[in-house]
Amino acid sequence: MNAWAAHRASPVNALARSNVLRACDALSTALITYALPLLVLTMTGSTLLTGLVFAAEWIPRLASIARGGALVDRHGAARVFRAANVLRTVLTALAIPVLAVLPATGTPAIATILALGAACGALAEASFLGAETTGAGLTRRAGTQAHRVQTWQLAIDQGAMLIGPLLGGLLLLVNGGAMLAVATVLSLAAAMLPPAPAAAPSPLDTPAVAGPAGLRTGWRTLRSLPALTCLVVGLSASNLATGLLQASAPITVTRTFDHSTATVGAIWSAAGLATLAATAVCRRFIDRCGLWPIGATAAALASAACLAAALAPNLPVYTALVALLMAAEGVMAVVLRTMRAQLIPPHTFGSTLAVTVLLVLAPMPAAGLLVAAAPAPLLPTLLAGCALLQAAALTWCFTGLRRSPAACPPRAASLPDDAPQPLRPASPSTKDVDTWT
């Protein structure tokens, strides 16, 4: 292997390249996810249709998880990731002229947006599974510095949350076509950039289990690991509260506080900025205190902020509470995703990840349907109830995780922020299902 090939195949280079791919994909996904419901609200003024679009984006994501996991196992993460972004590029590009010629408030335009949201939701899940399996593999290879890898992964996701909603809100002030054009360019970039190199296969690798059999294997693995079950329950309850807040935010901001749709994007961008700052700082505290204490503290802050947001009297207080909630959720995500990568056995990682993702994402479309069904004046009460449910579930979650040595490994020695963080090479006897192949 020559020097250039060795550089391309190095673990640090693989991390950097996978981060670039994840950034393009995450920003395109965030732009579409947040802007399509806002576009429908702008076009029709209907809270019912706004909630339905949000649900239409998430229901196909859940339905495609099993198939997406099987495709990643069978064809490799890079091929699935690239194919999903190519298809999303085509769909968003075609939607631009279609929406341009249709009446803005007519049924055909709304049906087109619903169909586009459903298709992009399914494709987003396929690309997410490819990126997430890669990130989990890099986390396992990082050893005691695993949480630092997850801070990079989460920083990308939150960076997309920072830029996506604000960019979507600003582009919608022009028209929906401008928003879709930017999403098309981002998806095309994710599809065209070269993937990170694949790891050499091991003679001890075992074939991946795909389809329904894979889901059964993942379900058995989940049931056999009480700590992983606690983790999934906590993440699911937290996603229900966050999803309800996301789905109801356009209604709260425009109807309750009487501000423009661009303000919605600004709120979520402020929340993304707060999350980036929190995740940048949290790794020092995790080094010193360990995963569990930091995760439990973040869980308490997230539940309290969600409950307070439901009772916010004005827009500045609401904005500050949303930012606090998302910052706490970000720190908690670093902790729980690091624990998840360490808890799931590598030889059943793909099937178990599909099951956990399915359970964790299930509350998102439920949140959209709740917003669609509930009258606008009842949304604060609904959000407060979800905040109390979140607090109870997270208490049980972190109580269970504290008993698990695998979930709470010994703390790493504190390292300076600018110290290089080399990744351990994958064990030759373990299948690295998270490499771009």
Side-chain angles (χ1 to χ4, degrees):
M1 180 183 293
N2 58 36
W4 174 244
H7 169 72
R8 282 169 52 88
S10 68
V12 174
N13 183 258
L15 174 62
R17 293 168 68 180
S18 66
N19 283 347
V20 172
L21 289 165
R22 188 180 183 117
C24 292
D25 176 71
L27 184 54
S28 179
T29 298
L31 184 60
I32 293 173
T33 300
Y34 292 107
L36 283 186
L38 196 57
L39 174 61
V40 169
L41 182 64
T42 303
M43 292 167 54
T44 66
S46 170
T47 59
L48 172 63
L49 290 176
T50 301
L52 288 178
V53 171
F54 189 85
E57 291 178 316
W58 280 99
I59 290 175
R61 292 190 70 164
L62 298 179
S64 64
I65 285 176
R67 184 60 179 167
L71 289 173
V72 168
D73 286 339
R74 185 177 299 116
H75 300 291
R79 290 181 181 177
V80 173
F81 181 89
R82 178 172 291 174
N85 277 283
V86 167
L87 290 174
R88 183 164 58 186
T89 300
V90 172
L91 290 175
T92 52
L94 290 176
I96 295 173
V98 171
L99 291 176
V101 300
L102 292 175
T105 58
T107 301
I110 302 303
T112 299
I113 294 174
L114 285 170
L116 179 64
C120 288
L123 294 173
E125 191 57 39
S127 62
F128 169 79
L129 287 171
E132 189 69 10
T133 51
T134 300
L138 293 171
T139 299
R140 290 197 301 271
R141 293 163 62 188
T144 56
Q145 298 301 312
H147 60 278
R148 297 199 173 203
V149 176
Q150 283 297 328
T151 59
W152 278 104
Q153 301 292 317
L154 191 64
I156 292 170
D157 295 341
Q158 296 305 319
M161 181 181 289
L162 171 65
I163 300 172
L166 179 59
L167 183 61
L170 293 175
L171 290 172
L172 287 178
L173 294 178
V174 181
N175 54 53
M179 181 273 294
L180 291 174
V182 173
T184 301
V185 171
L186 290 168
S187 298
L188 181 62
M192 298 302 294
L193 289 171
S202 166
L204 298 180
D205 287 351
T206 56
V209 181
L215 290 180
R216 287 194 295 270
T217 299
W219 179 248
R220 286 195 298 268
T221 303
L222 176 63
R223 292 182 61 186
S224 69
L225 298 171
L228 184 60
T229 302
C230 293
L231 187 151
V232 169
V233 170
L235 280 175
S236 299
S238 187
N239 270 359
L240 177 62
T242 303
L244 187 64
L245 187 67
Q246 291 175 351
S248 63
I251 300 169
T252 301
V253 172
T254 59
R255 300 291 177 83
T256 304
F257 299 132
D258 195 24
H259 281 71
S260 70
T261 56
T263 306
V264 181
I267 289 174
W268 287 112
S269 295
L273 184 61
T275 305
L276 282 173
T279 53
V281 172
C282 78
R283 61 183 185 180
R284 288 187 175 184
F285 290 95
I286 293 174
D287 285 339
R288 295 173 183 174
C289 304
L291 286 170
W292 190 91
I294 300 303
T297 301
L301 286 175
S303 300
C306 186
L307 180 61
L311 308 174
N314 52 54
L315 184 65
V317 173
Y318 180 81
T319 302
L321 290 170
V322 169
L324 176 60
L325 168 63
M326 298 310 295
E329 290 272 5
V331 175
M332 188 171 62
V334 170
V335 171
L336 293 182
R337 286 166 57 166
T338 302
M339 290 180 174
R340 183 178 66 180
Q342 295 166 338
L343 284 169
I344 300 177
H347 64 280
T348 59
F349 183 85
S351 56
T352 308
L353 177 65
V355 172
T356 59
V357 169
L358 180 63
L359 294 174
V360 167
L361 292 184
M364 299 303 287
L369 293 176
L370 285 173
V371 171
L378 291 181
L379 288 178
T381 302
L382 187 61
L383 182 59
C386 286
L388 295 176
L389 176 64
Q390 178 189 27
L394 289 175
T395 300
W396 183 72
C397 167
F398 279 93
T399 300
L401 289 173
R402 191 172 191 177
R403 304 190 187 104
S404 173
C408 301
R411 296 196 300 271
S414 181
L415 296 176
D417 286 345
D418 56 353
Q421 301 296 327
L423 302 179
R424 295 183 299 153
S427 169
S429 62
T430 302
K431 184 174 184 181
D432 187 4
V433 297
D434 303 300
T435 304
W436 291 102
T437 57

